[in-house]
Amino acid sequence: MSYGQGGPQSQWDPWTPQSQQPWKSGDDDGTPDWAALADASENRKKRRKVLLVAGGVLATGAIGTAVAMAVSNAGGDSRAGGPSSLPATASLPGGTATTAPSFAPTSAPPPLDPKDFIASANKDTAPLSPETLFPGTQLTMGETVYKKGATSDSKNCASGAGGTLATALAAGKCTRLMRVSYVKDGVAVTVGVAVFDNDTDAQRFKDRADKKSIVAALPGKGVKAFCDSAICRSTTNTLGRYAYFTIAGFTSGKDVTTKDTKVFAAGNDLAQFSFRQIRRRGEAQASAAANQ
């Protein structure tokens, strides 16, 4: 009786559970087939070698991926705001270096000095007359309103000078003397403006003027005669190529004393207004020259 029917017997594999040891066909004395076992062992060694090689390839790929990720991360993440690993534009192939534009240092010209335009007749060329310096029919200083009276304009400076003023004007080579009078509540003031070619001549006049160098009062057009023989208050000043004077007193002929504050105030108002008008001439001409 034969027990080998039913197909070939499964081969035994010590690495596979429930596998059977190989049996030789035909009669068997119970001894294992050593040749078959040797072949099986050799096959297992080859399989393990293949598996080890494949595993090494996979490991190498994983290491390469990790290195690539590390290099990428070392370059910075733009989403995290890190610095870019790209080189500067100048070092890129085909790139061109760029530099910030440079400009030559410049400075604004100094502003024109208004004093320069009233220091010499060469620059002080704006229209000049009693009406340009003292326009209108009245003058308002603060809350005080003075009514304008007579005006005078002469190239003969001595014609409107009193005391030692004519001598002082001649020393400075005065070329013109303008006068304007104002009145308020019985107090009259005559303001005079003398014109010189330059501020050097005006300084020469100033050096010769004294307390007796007074401008002559100018009555007319609503202003009664004043300061003919009475004591009056006078002032003398210079600005640029100009000298300006005031004489103030009562139209009643009364002498002025230190207690007569209205007379002093009137003389100060006209002196201050004269100064402002001369200064404005310089400012206006400096501004016009700067805009040309």
Side-chain angles (χ1 to χ4, degrees), residues 64-77:
T65 302
V67 172
M69 293 179 63
V71 171
S72 176
N73 290 334
D77 188 352

Side-chain angles (χ1 to χ4, degrees), residues 73-97:
N73 290 334
D77 188 352
S78 61
R79 293 172 297 176
S84 173
S85 61
L86 290 176
T89 303
S91 63
L92 290 176
T96 57

Side-chain angles (χ1 to χ4, degrees), residues 3 17 68 77 87 115 123 129 142 150 160 180 204 211 213 217 274-275:
Y3 293 95
D77 188 352
K115 293 181 179 179
K123 281 191 173 183
S129 70
V180 181
R204 190 177 293 111
K211 293 182 179 180
S213 299
S274 300
F275 170 81

Side-chain angles (χ1 to χ4, degrees), residues 20-251:
Q20 297 180 358
Q21 293 184 3
W23 296 88
K24 295 191 297 181
S25 59
D27 294 336
D28 189 359
D29 59 359
T31 302
D33 188 345
W34 298 110
L37 290 176
D39 291 339
S41 177
E42 184 65 23
N43 289 335
R44 285 193 302 272
K45 289 180 180 180
K46 292 180 178 180
R47 288 173 60 191
R48 291 182 62 189
K49 185 176 181 180
V50 172
L51 291 174
L52 289 174
V53 171
V57 172
L58 293 175
T60 302
I63 293 173
T65 302
V67 172
M69 293 179 63
V71 171
S72 176
N73 290 334
D77 188 352
S78 61
R79 293 172 297 176
S84 173
S85 61
L86 290 176
T89 303
S91 63
L92 290 176
T96 57
T98 58
T99 58
S102 60
F103 301 94
T106 60
S107 58
L112 299 177
D113 190 349
K115 293 181 179 179
D116 292 341
F117 288 84
I118 56 174
S120 172
N122 293 331
K123 281 191 173 183
D124 187 15
T125 58
L128 178 64
S129 70
E131 290 301 324
T132 60
L133 289 177
F134 305 96
T137 59
Q138 62 184 28
L139 172 64
T140 302
M141 296 291 290
E143 297 180 354
T144 305
V145 179
Y146 299 94
K147 291 184 179 181
K148 185 177 178 180
T151 63
S152 173
D153 185 3
S154 176
K155 293 182 179 181
N156 180 10
C157 298
S159 63
T164 61
L165 182 60
T167 303
L169 292 175
K173 300 179 181 179
C174 174
T175 61
R176 187 176 181 181
L177 178 62
M178 296 171 284
R179 291 182 293 163
V180 181
S181 292
Y182 291 89
V183 64
K184 176 177 173 56
D185 298 336
V187 175
V189 181
T190 293
V191 56
V193 177
V195 184
F196 304 90
D197 284 337
N198 50 62
D199 55 355
T200 301
D201 289 346
Q203 181 62 44
R204 190 177 293 111
F205 152 78
K206 185 177 180 180
D207 294 340
R208 293 292 300 270
D210 55 28
K211 293 182 179 180
K212 295 182 179 181
S213 299
I214 58 176
V215 66
L218 178 65
K221 292 188 177 181
V223 179
K224 296 180 179 180
F226 66 103
C227 297
D228 287 337
S229 57
I231 297 175
C232 292
R233 193 247 182 166
S234 64
T235 64
T236 301
N237 295 279
T238 60
L239 179 61
R241 70 185 188 109
Y242 298 91
Y244 55 101
F245 326 93
T246 64
I247 184 168
F250 294 106
T251 56

Side-chain angles (χ1 to χ4, degrees), residues 274-290:
S274 300
F275 170 81
R276 290 178 181 177
Q277 290 297 90
I278 297 171
R279 185 183 63 184
R280 285 171 182 167
R281 282 182 59 82
E283 292 172 348
Q285 293 178 95
S287 177

